[in-house]
Amino acid sequence: MTDSEIEITAALVHDLLQEQHPDLAGLAIREVAGGWGNQMWRLGDDLAVRMPRTEGAPDLLRKECRWLPVLAPRLPLPVPTPVRIGEPSARFPKPWTVMTWVPGEPLDHTSLSRGDHAADTLAGFLMALHAEAPEDAPISEDRGDHPEKCTDGFDHFFHAVVPDDIADEVRAVWDDAVAAPEWEGPPVWVHGDLHPANVVVSDGTLSGVIDFDAVFAGDPAWDLAAAWVVLPTGGASRFFDAYARADEATIRRARGLAALKSLFLMLMGQNGDRGLPGGKPAWGPVGRAALERVLRGGSA
């Protein structure tokens, strides 16, 4: 999962900055726990260095650097935007970036106490993001399809983590999403990976969105699943009222995709509990809570 040939240390980050961006090399460097395709280091108070550590991460990093400056100015919440680009070198043979730091606590390590405000905030953010994408916008290879094309992945997660006593309910939600009509509108900008680790919280509400490496043009249902995956109980109904663009078919697809994402979070939590590489122990409880919200039905 990770490239273990090069150990990414604070000393390496400092040396790369000294070589390529010496005006930033004097800022304090602190490692940020977590991450998936990238290892992150705080740089001073307002910046972060992202260092790719998986095979596909450099291409995703380049995609973020291409499109985040286009998207960020119209978004109503802070998002990370590139400040400097680090070029591959003898010390580190991959590109890397210096990004703005989005302050707040990731939701997988905290909670939302102002649920109504968070629902309205998320709706406003996605209304701004979900504009029609240009013809050269990226298309995802593993996200963005109609749920019926994701059945193999759903089945894998389903058999791995779903308790027997709710299996029929979970399957019914997915089957309903598969039966829903496809998205008929133009491809819109989609974050593509909205879950508790990719949104940050301040003062009990959403205060930023991070990790845009999945961004693509496609069906907004992939983001609208966050109504159940991110928001607390009762938040989905208020969210869809505020978003006001989702028809019944889109909500059905979104609810099924929320089930899919919930099961993924539960599996990553299970892997973390077992000490497996890439596992995230904190994701299990948030995934189970999200699945419970999905099963409560509709946009409730």
Side-chain angles (χ1 to χ4, degrees):
M1 184 177 193
T2 59
D3 185 344
S4 59
E5 296 180 3
I6 300 174
E7 183 181 5
I8 303 173
T9 64
L12 174 61
V13 174
H14 176 268
D15 288 348
L16 290 172
L17 289 168
Q18 187 65 54
E19 287 181 351
Q20 299 190 32
H21 302 285
D23 59 312
L24 301 179
L27 297 174
I29 299 171
R30 294 161 285 165
E31 185 173 6
V32 179
W36 190 278
N38 298 279
Q39 187 167 341
M40 188 177 297
W41 298 78
R42 287 286 301 273
L43 183 62
D45 293 330
D46 302 320
L47 301 173
V49 178
R50 294 184 74 197
M51 306 285 290
R53 58 182 178 184
T54 61
E55 183 178 353
D59 287 341
L60 299 178
L61 182 149
R62 292 187 185 96
K63 179 173 68 170
E64 283 188 292
C65 290
R66 166 68 179 87
W67 292 109
L68 272 172
V70 175
L71 296 173
R74 69 162 180 257
L75 298 177
L77 288 177
V79 300
T81 52
V83 174
R84 305 285 179 87
I85 307 297
E87 299 297 334
S89 65
R91 288 184 181 273
F92 190 73
K94 299 176 183 179
W96 48 278
T97 58
V98 179
M99 312 282 283
T100 57
W101 174 256
V102 178
E105 185 78 8
L107 182 55
D108 60 331
H109 286 89
T110 186
S111 61
L112 291 166
S113 59
R114 299 166 61 196
D116 286 352
H117 188 279
D120 293 344
T121 300
L122 180 62
F125 177 84
L126 291 181
M127 288 171 67
L129 175 62
H130 290 167
E132 184 173 351
E135 291 185 0
D136 59 341
I139 297 173
S140 176
E141 295 181 358
D142 60 350
R143 307 168 206 242
D145 282 332
H146 188 278
E148 68 178 350
K149 299 179 182 179
C150 306
T151 296
D152 288 347
F154 176 85
D155 287 343
H156 172 68
F157 300 149
F158 180 89
H159 293 300
V161 299
V162 174
D164 290 340
D165 61 330
I166 60 171
D168 290 345
E169 294 178 78
V170 176
R171 177 63 68 178
V173 170
W174 182 252
D175 289 346
D176 183 62
V178 169
E182 294 188 1
W183 170 247
E184 296 181 350
V188 301
W189 282 112
V190 179
H191 178 282
D193 200 21
L194 287 177
H195 61 71
N198 287 342
V199 297
V200 297
V201 174
S202 299
D203 298 323
T205 190
L206 295 178
S207 59
V209 177
I210 59 176
D211 201 349
F212 278 73
D213 62 11
V215 69
F216 62 87
D219 180 356
W222 280 81
D223 280 353
L224 301 181
W228 295 276
V229 176
V230 169
L231 297 176
T233 300
S237 180
R238 185 180 179 103
F239 167 82
F240 282 109
D241 285 345
Y243 183 81
R245 297 179 184 173
D247 59 17
E248 179 186 359
T250 301
I251 293 175
R252 289 167 61 191
R253 294 193 308 276
R255 187 175 173 225
L257 292 168
L260 174 71
K261 292 169 181 279
S262 299
L263 299 186
F264 169 75
L265 292 170
M266 291 169 64
L267 181 58
M268 291 300 98
Q270 178 177 282
N271 289 347
D273 292 340
R274 294 175 177 176
L276 298 177
K280 305 283 187 178
W283 289 15
V286 296
R288 287 190 292 272
L291 187 62
E292 290 175 4
R293 294 190 291 269
V294 169
L295 294 181
R296 287 190 171 94
S299 57

